[in-house]
Amino acid sequence: VWGLAAHLRERASAGERVVLLVPNGPDLVVGLLAAMAAGLVAVPVYPPRRNRKAERLHAILADCRPRVVLTTAELAATPEVADLAGGGVAVVAADHGWAACQPHGPGADPAAVAFLQYTSGSTGTPKGVAITHGG
C-alpha cells in the first residue's frame, strides 16, 4: 500500500481524484487504501464489459476529472483505458508489485473527502456522492 501511495503522490496532488478502474478484489482494496494514504480522492468504478457500457465510465471521467487512473496491466492495454493516457491522465497498473516503503505524512483530516461513490446511472447520468474520511 505505501509503495503504491508514494507512486500516486508523485503523479497527483492532495485532493485530486484517482479513478480505481479495477475489478473487485485485492487490487481494489490496495488501491483504495493507497489513494487515501496519498491524500487523493478515490473514485471506484467498475471496468467496462459487454454488459457494462463504456459510456458510464466516460461520464464519470468527465465529471470527476481524475489526474490518475489506477487499473490492472491487462485493462491498461484496452483501447478505453489506453486512450486516457493520451488525454493527460496518468495510467498506473495496481498489479505492478510496488516496493514497500515507510509511511509518512500527516493523518487524514476527518472532514476531507476520502472517495466519490457514483450512482449506477441506470436512470440517467451517474452522479457522485462525496464520502469523507470521518464517514
Side-chain angles (χ1 to χ4, degrees):
V1 169
W2 296 112
L4 180 55
H7 188 72
L8 292 173
R9 205 174 299 119
E10 292 172 0
R11 281 151 182 72
S13 300
E16 290 187 305
R17 273 98 28 233
V18 56
V19 167
L20 306 177
L21 189 63
V22 294
N24 288 333
D27 289 331
L28 178 61
V29 174
V30 168
L32 181 64
L33 294 174
M36 288 193 281
L40 304 175
V41 177
V43 183
V45 178
Y46 288 112
R49 296 190 311 210
R50 279 190 309 239
N51 63 343
R52 235 183 246 144
K53 304 224 185 276
E55 289 84 22
R56 179 177 186 274
L57 170 62
H58 293 295
I60 291 170
L61 292 171
D63 184 63
C64 76
R65 297 181 320 273
R67 174 69 75 188
V68 179
V69 171
L70 184 66
T71 189
T72 63
E74 181 181 349
L75 286 170
T78 65
E80 295 89 0
V81 179
D83 288 346
L84 297 174
V89 177
V91 177
V92 176
D95 53 357
H96 180 290
W98 300 99
C101 69
Q102 293 298 315
H104 55 40
D109 175 2
V113 175
F115 66 95
L116 297 176
Q117 182 67 51
Y118 275 82
T119 60
S120 69
S122 61
T123 61
T125 303
K127 294 169 183 56
V129 178
I131 309 297
T132 64
H133 286 279

